[in-house]
Amino acid sequence: MKIRAILFDLGNVLVDYRPEIFITRLSERVKIGKEKLVRYFLTSTADIEYTEGKISSDEFFKIISRDLSLNCSQEEFWDFWCNIFIAKHEMDALVARLKKSYPVWILSNTNEWHFEFLKSRFPVLDMIDQLFLSYQLKCQKPDEKVYEHVIRKSGLKPDEIFFTDDITVNIEAARKSGLRASLFKSAAELNLELNQMGVL
Ligand SMILES: [Mg+2]
């Protein structure tokens, strides 16, 4: 089946992200050990609820601030939370090339603060035709509901959509829903694969 749309994951595919920068800066500011912060963010449900749009940005900060007894402002926290992304110029170039022939979409597990921040500073997002964002869908990968939503919205057959993501379970779930899915390793490997498939 011919590919008719390209669906990208965002984090570590179109932009790199470094959550350890957030942990280090927050730790230094609020004088809480990095290990404690990592443990908190790995086990707290606030992060999941925020990613699934079940709580607002203000509520997210309030919960974290209360749980960790933070002594920093919401503005400071926002700065630590958001300033973790790094552009990937080789992916910007690939998106620009693909966009000449295909609609290019994003399917991302993300939250309002991260996405708004990325949208304001990373021009690659201006090239994207359609966004499927967990906090707006109220649901995240690898839940099959997410992929079914994308397929329904697209009006395409599942195997007309090429999807790439750096996380194996997201790829496996996408394949179960019928998408043509490929684990992302690097821009070079993705370029090669798209060439071999006759997409580029
Ligand atoms: Mg990712």
Side-chain angles (χ1 to χ4, degrees), residues 9-13 17 141 165-167 170:
D9 171 32
L10 180 53
N12 283 345
V13 173
Y17 73 102
K141 296 174 285 186
D165 191 298
D166 63 310
I167 296 178
N170 295 344

Side-chain angles (χ1 to χ4, degrees), residues 9 34 59 112 152:
D9 171 32
K34 285 201 234 180
E59 285 167 330
E112 183 184 47
R152 237 186 357 260

Side-chain angles (χ1 to χ4, degrees), residues 57-193:
S57 298
D58 288 349
E59 285 167 330
F60 175 62
F61 176 70
K62 256 188 218 131
I63 293 166
I64 286 170
S65 190
R66 181 200 64 204
D67 288 356
L68 292 168
S69 307
L70 294 186
N71 58 352
C72 70
S73 68
Q74 184 162 319
E75 288 67 30
E76 287 174 289
F77 182 86
W78 175 89
D79 172 36
F80 304 146
W81 180 252
C82 291
N83 276 295
I84 59 167
F85 297 102
I86 303 154
K88 294 177 79 166
H89 298 296
E90 69 282 19
M91 291 303 292
D92 299 354
L94 177 59
V95 170
R97 261 186 87 190
L98 286 166
K99 217 188 131 49
K100 288 181 189 156
S101 312
Y102 303 90
V104 178
W105 306 332
I106 281 177
L107 173 59
S108 174
N109 290 351
T110 186
N111 57 75
E112 183 184 47
W113 271 346
H114 276 168
F115 192 76
E116 293 294 321
F117 179 85
L118 286 162
K119 189 96 185 84
S120 69
R121 307 199 185 193
F122 290 77
V124 66
L125 289 169
D126 297 334
M127 293 193 275
I128 304 301
D129 299 295
Q130 199 161 347
L131 300 165
F132 299 98
L133 307 174
S134 62
Y135 73 93
Q136 292 174 343
L137 299 173
K138 312 279 187 217
C139 190
Q140 63 177 305
K141 296 174 285 186
D143 190 323
E144 65 180 53
K145 287 203 283 287
V146 168
Y147 306 98
E148 280 160 15
H149 176 85
V150 171
I151 294 161
R152 237 186 357 260
K153 270 282 210 180
S154 74
L156 300 176
K157 297 193 180 80
D159 64 354
E160 292 176 322
I161 303 169
F162 177 86
F163 173 57
T164 189
D165 191 298
D166 63 310
I167 296 178
T168 304
V169 291
N170 295 344
I171 292 299
E172 287 167 353
R175 284 184 185 145
K176 272 191 200 145
S177 294
L179 300 185
R180 295 271 287 275
S182 172
L183 186 67
F184 180 85
K185 296 191 192 88
S186 68
E189 282 183 61
L190 181 59
N191 260 291
L192 191 66
E193 185 176 6

